[in-house]
Structure formats: structure tokens, C-alpha cells
Amino acid sequence: MQDKALAVFEDFNIRREYDEKADKWYFSVTDVIQALTGSAHPRRYWSDLKRKLKAEGSELYEKIVQLKMRSADGKYYETDSADPEQLLRFIQSIPSPKAEPFKLWLAKVGYERIQETTNPEMSLNRARENWKAHGRSEKWIQQRMTGQETRNKLTDYWQTHGVMESDDFAILTNIIHKEWSGLSVKGHKALKGLKNQNLRDHMSEAELIFTALAELSTRKAAESTKARGMKENKAAGKRGGNVAKQARLQYEEEFGEKVITSKNFLPSADRKKLENK
């Protein structure tokens, strides 16, 4: 679904664009409003809602981005767009009986963590079954889940120590990844032939382990220096990434095999296309 610019909620087409850097979808706000309210004038509704939010002192509108999306006339125009987290907050300001069905729909097409906030066990079980269906072993699944727990503890630290924006999370993650692996996140995905897919879902067991080591070491480095803000957490990221880098180099020398690999879990048809390029 991630290669499609339209998602359908009930009978409404909702335009969207995928941001590879942020690794998430952005949706047209006016399309969402029309789907929720049935308004014949969603732009006017959105204009009124913006004024209301501003009067209430809400910072939500400031996080809206403008992306070029295709209009009914076939041309592309700058369109107010929001990511799934922002949409969830917007929905609270829009009285609509479709609010709950829309949240469930959004969970399927653009926001994997909605259900985690209300039922973490359900989310974990769904992820486990999905990985099994794609042929992952129990050992790989356990490592993937352990790595995610390590990742969550690191991002929790960032959130409570002056790093709040998702873009900043991406910058710090890239610093750590490049330090230990020698590749940026984007470069690692390119090596595996990935586009919109989650890199960690296509890592080998060794890649998952060294990624987790790098993020665990980063958190320990940050805690030991009480790092706050981007500058100090960048330094902690390089320090933690280097711990994993040294371990990776020793591993490769000892066993004569590279940790970083082009192998992935793409369906066989997609893998053949990649190999034939």
C-alpha cells in the first residue's frame, strides 16, 4: 500500500505522501475533515478550526506541513498535511461519530503505534504473527522484540532530556547507526534494496544485535554524562555507536564474516526485480 498516494476511508479518498526521512505518512487535513464531517466545504471547516486552535493557544497547527498533492484538476498544489499522531489530536477537536472507526483505519494505513498506547500486548502479538507469516524464526523474532525494547528505552531518555521532535530522533539514530555500521540508515536500506520498508524488519540476527548494542551503549553514555539536548546527545550517540563498532570489527576479524549484509526479507518477486537491476 505504501506506493499508493491515495488511501480510502469508507467512500472518501484521502491523499497522502510518504516521508522516507521521517519514515511515516502525511495525510491531507482537508480530506480527513471531509471524511469525518461530510462537509461540502472542508477548507472552510479547516479554516475555522485553525482559528479555534490558535485562540486556544494550541501548538498543533504550527506542526502542520505543506506538501504538494494532486488535486481534482490533476495539478499539484501545496496542501496542509499532518502525520498520524497530529491527526489523532485533531480528531479530538472534531465532533464526529466516525472518529473511532477512523482511528482504527488510520492504524492500518499509517500509524502502527495507535493500538500500542491502549493495548501493548495486542500490538506485540500482531507483530509476532506478522513476522511469523513472513518466515522469520522464533530466534529472530525474539531478537527483534528485544531490540525494540532497547530502542524504546533510548527514545524515552531522549524525550525526557530535551530531545522532543521526530526529526531530531531521526538525526540521532542516523549518527548512532553510521558510527557503528559505517553506513547511514538510508545507505543501509539502499544496500538491502529497501524503500519504504522498516530497515529493522529486514536485518539479520547479527545486524539486530549490533544495532541494539549501539543503542544500549548510547543510553548508558547519555546517562553517565546526564546528556541533555541535541549537542550532548549527539556526543553520546557517537560514543555509544563506537562501542558497537569496536565489537563489530572484532566479530568480523574473529569469524571472517561481515555483519552488514544486503540480505533482506523481501518477497521473492521483489527480490528478483532487485537482482535484475
Side-chain angles (χ1 to χ4, degrees), residues 175-206:
I175 288 172
I176 298 167
H177 197 85
K178 192 168 185 179
E179 186 67 27
W180 84 259
S181 71
L183 288 173
S184 65
V185 172
K186 185 176 181 180
H188 200 165
K189 290 179 73 171
L191 178 67
K192 289 181 176 291
L194 307 176
K195 292 184 179 180
N196 297 335
Q197 298 89 346
N198 186 311
L199 174 60
R200 294 174 198 237
D201 285 347
H202 292 267
M203 284 183 173
S204 66
E205 182 186 358

Side-chain angles (χ1 to χ4, degrees), residues 130-146:
N130 182 59
W131 287 325
K132 279 184 178 179
H134 285 82
R136 272 64 154 191
S137 67
E138 283 292 339
K139 189 175 183 181
W140 184 96
I141 292 172
Q142 186 57 49
Q143 188 56 54
R144 176 69 175 88
M145 297 178 78
T146 300

Side-chain angles (χ1 to χ4, degrees), residues 175-182 206-218 236-252 259-260:
I175 288 172
I176 298 167
H177 197 85
K178 192 168 185 179
E179 186 67 27
W180 84 259
S181 71
E207 287 172 315
L208 287 172
I209 289 172
F210 282 96
T211 297
L213 175 60
E215 294 187 331
L216 171 63
S217 300
T218 294
K238 291 184 74 69
R239 182 180 167 194
N242 187 59
V243 170
K245 174 185 177 182
Q246 299 307 316
R248 173 180 65 81
L249 293 175
Q250 185 175 351
Y251 176 97
E252 291 176 342
V259 170
I260 302 300

Side-chain angles (χ1 to χ4, degrees), residues 209-270:
I209 289 172
F210 282 96
T211 297
L213 175 60
E215 294 187 331
L216 171 63
S217 300
T218 294
R219 178 166 58 86
K220 291 296 185 182
E223 290 173 343
S224 69
T225 60
K226 296 181 172 58
R228 289 195 64 85
M230 283 295 287
K231 183 177 180 181
E232 293 179 5
N233 277 291
K234 282 180 179 180
K238 291 184 74 69
R239 182 180 167 194
N242 187 59
V243 170
K245 174 185 177 182
Q246 299 307 316
R248 173 180 65 81
L249 293 175
Q250 185 175 351
Y251 176 97
E252 291 176 342
E253 181 178 357
E254 182 72 23
F255 299 109
E257 62 181 34
K258 296 292 184 181
V259 170
I260 302 300
T261 174
S262 61
K263 292 181 180 179
N264 56 54
F265 290 97
L266 289 171
S268 56
D270 292 341

